[in-house]
Amino acid sequence: MATTPLAVLDLVPISSGSTAAAALRNSIDLARQTERFGYARYWFAEHHLNPGVAGTSPAVLLALTAAATSTIRIGSGAVQMGHRTALATVEEFGLVDALHPGRLDLGLGRSGGRPPEPAREPALVGGTGVVDGRAPNGLLIPPKFSFAHLLGSPRFALQKTLLQLPGAQSQDYTEQVADILDLLRGTYRSAEGEEAHVVPGEGAQLQVWILGSSGGESANVAGANGLRFAANYHVSPGTVLEAAEGYRAAFRPSAELDRPYLSVSADVVVAEDEATARELAAGYGPWVRSIRTAEGAIPFPTPAQARAHNWTDADRELVADRVDTQFVGTPAQVADRLEQLRDATGADELILTTVTHDHDDRVRSYRLIAQEWERRQG
């Protein structure tokens, strides 16, 4: 997998009938397994108040996983900076780096912060546009999904209330990333000229990543600072091309990177045959629906539970972009679609996120696609 590395994004999903403790044990086991399969990095997402997701604190999960693995890079995909400070973030990751130096990725996201800027109009690498919902190489680019109903939901307001101190305001994201970089480098100065030196944290051997879904502020921050950028095809497939283009347009070389470095995510389920893969992926639609109705991610259903869901036209429309862009099938079928995603976005790396009800099926999915990918890359 030397040509285009594969990485893992884990939400620590809880299966129906299971527990958060079991989900945590499964995730640590999956990190060990994917290290053995040759994956380049293993990231944990941050989510809150979800009955079916146990990934609430990337830093804590990384501390647990670092002790259980030895070579795979581990990181956050991403820390939600809207309710955090630059100092707390550098301190937490600095603590883990102190015992596991050189293995950590600090992925930063805007989630929970100030309202995002209006997104750029889609633009493809090379300047050509989407035609009939397809990139020039055939990659499906569905219509943009609006998250406005989620941001205005009572549940979102509750989450913000519980995550932020009363009266607190999120720091401007661009300034926040600058503060994190200065604290890591030991160059931070307050407005009054006071120095701040974080121990442990200053000089930590972290790779700093920015995660984003559009060509807006996140892409600009990543590019302007010469940082690595991860675009979310699995969350917002309709805006992945503008995110990639926006990042490249904003990129300025840094001491860390002399050229843009882009990773792109995809939802993936792989099995020995297509029918089995589709059976394993059956719970994905109801699971996405629970997220997009703002009720919070439900415990991931069994295929039988998924088939029992009474779908309405509104339900189908709500999840269509996510279901249609999930890569499900045999190793060869999924590898074909991953190559299509890579080529359409110009990705340097691909991030796979897989959720199935049974842990063994999830491990097998990662193993099968890694084997097929290595065969093609070799």
Side-chain angles (χ1 to χ4, degrees):
M1 293 192 289
T3 304
T4 308
L6 296 182
V8 178
L9 175 63
D10 185 5
L11 280 64
V12 195
I14 303 171
S15 295
S16 63
S18 188
T19 64
L24 290 166
R25 287 191 290 268
N26 288 341
S27 287
I28 292 172
D29 177 67
L30 183 61
R32 290 195 195 101
Q33 300 272 20
T34 51
E35 179 177 71
R36 186 165 58 87
F37 300 156
Y39 284 81
R41 63 187 85 239
Y42 196 102
W43 284 0
F44 290 103
E46 178 183 348
H47 295 284
H48 301 279
L49 299 180
N50 289 281
V53 171
T56 57
S57 175
V60 173
L61 290 165
L62 291 173
L64 297 170
T65 307
T69 56
S70 58
T71 57
I72 193 169
R73 294 196 65 88
I74 54 176
S76 55
V79 174
Q80 295 182 3
M81 295 306 298
H83 61 88
R84 300 183 58 82
T85 66
L87 175 60
T89 303
V90 172
E91 286 179 334
E92 287 183 350
F93 278 72
L95 281 169
V96 182
D97 176 79
L99 287 182
H100 304 278
R103 290 182 58 201
L104 265 66
D105 299 332
L106 174 54
L108 306 172
R110 290 185 70 258
S111 299
R114 299 178 184 180
E117 301 173 351
R120 292 157 44 105
E121 285 302 307
L124 267 175
V125 177
T128 56
V130 177
V131 178
D132 295 330
R134 297 279 176 178
N137 73 343
L139 179 72
L140 179 61
I141 305 294
K144 294 182 184 180
F145 178 81
S146 174
F147 292 90
H149 72 286
L150 292 175
L151 298 177
S153 71
R155 186 179 183 83
F156 184 85
L158 170 64
Q159 178 171 300
K160 193 163 186 175
T161 297
L162 291 175
L163 286 172
Q164 286 191 325
L165 292 171
Q169 293 294 320
S170 300
Q171 185 181 4
D172 176 82
Y173 184 63
T174 299
E175 295 176 359
Q176 197 171 33
V177 172
D179 286 350
I180 286 173
L181 295 175
D182 285 343
L183 289 168
L184 288 170
R185 295 165 182 157
T187 57
Y188 181 89
R189 301 292 184 276
S190 71
E192 297 75 27
E194 286 295 314
E195 299 181 3
H197 297 284
V198 186
V199 181
E202 184 175 312
Q205 300 175 46
L206 306 179
Q207 273 190 14
V208 179
W209 287 73
I210 304 296
L211 278 73
S213 297
S214 74
E217 184 176 11
S218 295
N220 290 331
V221 167
N225 287 285
L227 300 173
R228 295 168 176 84
F229 183 66
N232 297 322
Y233 185 69
H234 86 283
V235 170
S236 185
T239 57
V240 68
L241 297 176
E242 71 168 70
E245 186 69 14
Y247 166 58
R248 291 194 178 92
F251 187 83
R252 301 294 180 268
S254 66
E256 181 74 10
L257 289 176
D258 60 3
R259 56 175 293 275
Y261 191 92
L262 174 70
S263 191
V264 179
S265 63
D267 268 304
V268 169
V269 176
V270 183
E272 287 85 352
D273 61 86
E274 184 177 1
T276 300
R278 297 207 172 277
E279 177 79 354
L280 298 179
Y284 184 69
W287 186 71
V288 172
R289 177 196 169 277
S290 69
I291 297 169
R292 287 191 165 178
T293 55
E295 65 184 85
I298 59 173
F300 198 83
T302 66
Q305 290 170 331
R307 285 192 295 269
H309 179 76
N310 184 23
W311 285 94
T312 66
D313 291 342
D315 281 345
R316 292 188 180 92
E317 183 178 356
L318 188 66
V319 303
D321 63 322
R322 292 282 299 270
V323 172
D324 292 346
T325 55
Q326 188 185 30
F327 298 168
V328 180
T330 66
Q333 289 172 324
V334 171
D336 285 346
R337 296 188 69 183
L338 288 173
E339 289 179 345
Q340 188 180 49
L341 177 64
R342 177 196 62 194
D343 296 344
T345 58
D348 300 284
E349 189 170 316
L350 296 170
I351 308 169
L352 312 187
T353 181
T354 297
V355 185
T356 59
H357 184 269
D358 292 339
H359 176 61
D360 289 346
D361 293 325
R362 190 159 69 129
V363 173
R364 187 179 303 108
S365 178
Y366 278 109
R367 175 176 60 80
L368 289 171
I369 193 59
Q371 290 171 342
E372 174 66 17
W373 198 251
E374 183 175 23
R375 183 186 69 77
R376 295 187 181 203
Q377 300 297 297

